[in-house]
Amino acid sequence: MKRNYYIFSNGRIKRKDNTICLENEKGKKYIPINDIEALYIFGEVDFNSKVLNFFGQNNITVHIFNYYGFYTSSIYPREHLLSGYSLVNQVKKYLDPVERIKLARETINTASYNILKNLKYYNPRRNEKLEDIILKIEKERKKIPYTNGIQDLMGTEGRIRDLYYSGFSIITMGKFKMKKRVKRPPDNPMNTLISFGNSLMYTTVLSEIYRTQLNPTISYLHEPGERRFSLSLDISEVFKPIITDRTIFKLINEGMIDQNHFTKELNFCHLNEKGRKVFMQQYEDKLNTVIKHKELERQVSYRRLIRLECYKLIKHINDIENYEGLKMWW
Amino acid sequence: MSLSDAMHATGVEVNYYFICKRKLWYFTHGITMEHNSTRVEIGKEVHKNSFKRKNKEIMIDNQICLDFIDKELIINETKLTKAMNDATRYQILYYIYYLENKGIKQVKGIVHYPKSKKREIIELDGEERQVLDKVLKFIYAIKKSNSPPSLEKKRKCKKCSYYELCFS
Ligand code: SF4
């Protein structure tokens, strides 16, 4: 089974025959190329074009994070599963406003369904404030089918998200307080965790898109070009509540992460190396969690669910089957 | 539609036609799956290691790919498993048919099974010629179509590389 490799240390990455060699003062470590799904680089690493070519040949995406743990860029090899037919249809769906909003609405409809599922799951004693948030989100959610254009839909989405985030301190029993969601740069530990989790989600989805015919730059909810690979943002919406938010709740509620895992500098806050490692471990465990898929009649990992979501989009784009987002059924 | 249009099919397409028409549609519309199954890998290996000393893989008209033709105009194919299904048989029959239409007569197909060291000879008869005439027209129609044939779950689906695409 291929897996993600995370590199935290500084050093050099080289190609050695059919392996990747990580070299630093502590020594050398070898990884067979066929074992790598994607590479995450957090440390300060040197690499040459020989190794980049090698990644390219083996269709491996490399995601790079800066000193503060913020995602900065990806090395995305040349597309290898091309379908001109499918690409034309993907663009067509974007150009047709009716078709575009249909897909965008289903994305938000699905994301908010999963958001509600989380809120209910973490509210066994029916906390009044959380109940109130749930009701308000349900009300907003009803507006989705009647939204007038992308801007309007984005407004609804924004309100749902604000309501949802206001429930985070309740879910985590006040351990991590967050007044307001602040993104660039995050100003407190909760915002930091959300930002870090969201960028991981973005990269994971991007790696999955790469293994399909979908073009990552053409999206429906987000404007193409908002980020380089904006389709990754679209699909992430569906999976953030399922994968990253649940990872965050677990980390906090089970005391795996605390103030010692953060470093504050001036007015912003970031995860230190220890913190990143704890996060990655839980995130990776989540991706590998398996559940029984009804239609497929087999066990699939959460990571595989992302691929299946890509497949559903391919079918929708090519008018084979209407897209219905993944609504957490478990 | 002229015969030459209809003849624009590859051996793989003929093969897929007999396996599943939906699979053929995906394939001819550029929707292919990442292949990482061990079966495919083994198949490739067998292919590579047989006929080491002869030329292999001859491309004709950029359309059909023959594993090997020796002096007597025999098509050699190598197959991993013993069971010869219609798909494999017609793929080879199509090569013969194709060459025949180009004026190369009396070509025979030989299928090798390296595992059991056995071989099987395939010749094209009149009935099969008619089947292929029709099949090529159907393949042409599927390639032109904007939507794949509708989905029905078959036993072979679970082993198909498109399984997750079809049933997700
Ligand atoms: S999964 Fe079944 S229906 Fe789909 S392409 Fe494969 S064989 Fe055909």
Side-chain angles (χ1 to χ4, degrees):
Chain A
M1 254 291 268
K2 288 181 186 229
R3 56 188 197 90
N4 288 334
Y5 280 86
Y6 301 96
I7 294 165
F8 291 98
S9 54
N10 299 339
R12 173 175 287 274
I13 300 183
K14 286 200 302 202
R15 173 179 180 172
K16 184 85 187 52
D17 302 325
N18 272 329
T19 65
I20 291 299
C21 174
L22 306 169
E23 203 179 70
N24 56 24
E25 44 311 352
K26 274 184 245 149
K28 287 179 182 173
K29 210 185 137 210
Y30 295 94
I31 311 168
I33 194 80
N34 293 329
D35 280 357
I36 308 173
E37 169 71 42
L39 210 60
Y40 287 77
I41 297 180
F42 291 95
E44 197 176 295
V45 169
D46 289 343
F47 42 132
N48 59 17
S49 58
K50 189 170 159 191
V51 80
L52 288 178
N53 277 329
F54 193 40
F55 287 139
Q57 279 160 16
N58 289 281
N59 305 319
I60 293 166
T61 44
V62 182
H63 307 295
I64 298 171
F65 293 74
N66 71 10
Y67 175 75
Y68 297 107
F70 296 130
Y71 168 74
T72 55
S73 54
S74 298
I75 297 166
Y76 191 81
R78 186 170 53 88
E79 297 275 353
H80 68 301
L81 294 168
L82 290 172
S83 166
Y85 179 81
S86 197
L87 176 60
V88 166
N89 287 336
Q90 191 180 341
V91 176
K92 258 197 199 160
K93 286 270 188 280
Y94 166 78
L95 290 175
D96 181 338
V98 178
E99 289 291 334
R100 179 180 172 189
I101 188 95
K102 213 166 91 187
L103 262 174
R105 279 195 198 120
E106 178 56 10
T107 304
I108 295 304
N109 179 40
T110 306
S112 57
Y113 180 94
N114 293 334
I115 280 173
L116 279 171
K117 201 83 188 195
N118 271 359
L119 290 172
K120 287 175 185 164
Y121 177 81
Y122 286 97
N123 193 21
R125 273 184 230 96
R126 297 187 148 259
N127 174 304
E128 242 176 68
K129 276 191 196 146
L130 221 43
E131 281 297 295
D132 186 47
I133 292 173
I134 292 172
L135 280 178
K136 283 183 179 151
I137 291 183
E138 276 167 350
K139 236 174 107 190
E140 284 294 340
R141 212 174 159 249
K142 292 213 178 79
K143 295 182 195 158
I144 296 171
Y146 307 103
T147 43
N148 220 332
I150 297 291
Q151 280 313 313
D152 192 17
L153 178 64
M154 280 296 209
T156 303
E157 192 258 350
R159 283 189 296 278
I160 292 177
R161 200 150 284 280
D162 286 345
L163 284 162
Y164 178 46
Y165 284 138
S166 71
F168 272 38
S169 355
I170 307 171
I171 292 175
T172 54
M173 292 165 289
K175 276 191 246 171
F176 276 56
K177 287 219 164 53
M178 174 179 68
K179 285 211 189 70
K180 212 173 142 264
R181 171 90 180 106
V182 178
K183 282 191 206 160
R184 284 181 210 121
D187 61 346
N188 66 29
M190 185 63 103
N191 271 321
T192 303
L193 291 175
I194 297 172
S195 289
F196 189 66
N198 287 351
S199 38
L200 289 182
M201 195 72 253
Y202 171 83
T203 57
T204 308
V205 173
L206 182 59
S207 290
E208 292 302 317
I209 292 176
Y210 181 65
R211 304 199 178 276
T212 71
Q213 274 77 31
L214 290 174
N215 183 299
T217 63
I218 298 154
S219 52
Y220 303 97
L221 176 65
H222 297 84
E223 203 54 56
E226 188 172 325
R227 277 231 211 149
R228 201 136 85 89
F229 302 122
S230 44
L231 184 63
S232 205
L233 294 176
D234 280 14
I235 301 175
S236 290
E237 293 298 331
V238 173
F239 290 94
K240 280 188 315 201
I242 304 177
I243 296 174
T244 46
D245 299 346
R246 290 215 169 189
T247 302
I248 292 170
F249 299 150
K250 186 172 181 206
L251 285 168
I252 301 175
N253 287 348
E254 296 186 15
M256 285 182 254
I257 210 155
D258 56 41
Q259 304 293 338
N260 293 323
H261 292 102
F262 298 89
T263 312
K264 278 211 148 203
E265 259 171 48
L266 298 167
N267 264 338
F268 91 98
C269 170
H270 64 268
L271 272 167
N272 58 28
E273 186 177 330
K274 223 168 65 185
R276 279 177 224 161
K277 279 188 177 160
V278 179
F279 197 119
M280 304 297 332
Q281 185 60 55
Q282 287 309 310
Y283 179 77
E284 193 63 20
D285 283 356
K286 199 64 169 192
L287 284 180
N288 294 330
T289 305
V290 291
I291 49 157
K292 173 107 186 188
H293 191 285
K294 282 171 294 183
E295 277 77 41
L296 292 180
E297 298 168 4
R298 53 170 82 146
Q299 299 280 352
V300 291
S301 64
Y302 283 17
R303 179 205 289 286
R304 200 64 181 174
L305 289 174
I306 304 175
R307 178 81 64 89
L308 297 181
E309 210 64 6
C310 295
Y311 289 160
K312 287 195 269 177
L313 273 179
I314 289 178
K315 286 196 282 188
H316 180 95
I317 284 165
N318 292 304
D319 290 322
I320 300 172
E321 208 177 294
N322 255 331
Y323 173 65
E324 247 183 69
L326 169 78
K327 321 264 184 330
M328 242 193 282
W329 69 78
W330 59 95
Chain B
M1 181 185 53
S2 66
L3 177 67
S4 62
D5 273 344
M7 271 181 56
H8 278 285
T10 65
V12 173
E13 285 167 5
V14 173
N15 185 289
Y16 283 6
Y17 177 87
F18 284 95
I19 290 176
C20 171
K21 295 177 184 55
R22 197 169 161 97
K23 182 173 174 155
L24 175 64
W25 187 88
Y26 289 142
F27 181 75
T28 53
H29 287 75
I31 300 170
T32 52
M33 294 286 112
E34 253 204 332
H35 36 79
N36 41 13
S37 90
T38 26
R39 240 190 112 71
V40 175
E41 293 291 312
I42 295 169
K44 267 197 217 147
E45 276 308 305
V46 169
H47 192 99
K48 259 205 298 210
N49 292 327
S50 324
F51 304 117
K52 267 234 162 90
R53 280 155 303 150
K54 303 179 184 172
N55 322 327
K56 353 158 238 191
E57 296 211 343
I58 296 168
M59 194 68 138
I60 295 175
D61 288 355
N62 253 331
Q63 285 298 314
I64 60 171
C65 178
L66 304 183
D67 260 12
F68 183 74
I69 305 182
D70 61 20
K71 282 197 204 95
E72 293 90 28
L73 288 184
I74 290 171
I75 299 170
N76 287 300
E77 271 274 335
T78 313
K79 287 287 157 198
L80 184 58
T81 49
K82 178 78 181 74
M84 164 88 85
N85 51 26
D86 264 1
T88 312
R89 234 171 67 79
Y90 272 99
Q91 184 175 354
I92 296 165
L93 286 171
Y94 172 63
Y95 293 152
I96 302 170
Y97 171 99
Y98 190 94
L99 291 172
E100 225 181 61
N101 279 306
K102 290 194 125 316
I104 305 165
K105 308 273 175 198
Q106 267 134 24
V107 176
K108 266 190 248 166
I110 301 185
V111 180
H112 297 262
Y113 302 97
K115 251 165 122 187
S116 55
K117 297 206 164 59
K118 287 210 172 103
R119 45 183 237 156
E120 195 174 329
I121 294 176
I122 294 173
E123 281 164 293
L124 182 68
D125 69 23
E127 204 178 298
E128 288 159 341
R129 240 173 239 122
Q130 275 173 16
V131 172
L132 280 169
D133 281 340
K134 268 196 216 130
V135 164
L136 289 176
K137 278 182 196 136
F138 283 131
I139 291 177
Y140 181 83
I142 288 169
K143 280 167 134 177
K144 289 272 155 211
S145 165
N146 279 333
S147 55
S150 60
L151 180 64
E152 32 174 326
K153 198 164 187 165
K154 290 158 279 192
R155 259 195 30 232
K156 60 186 159 205
C157 289
K158 282 210 169 181
K159 276 197 228 128
C160 173
S161 60
Y162 289 102
Y163 179 67
E164 287 183 327
L165 177 66
C166 276
F167 296 96
S168 62

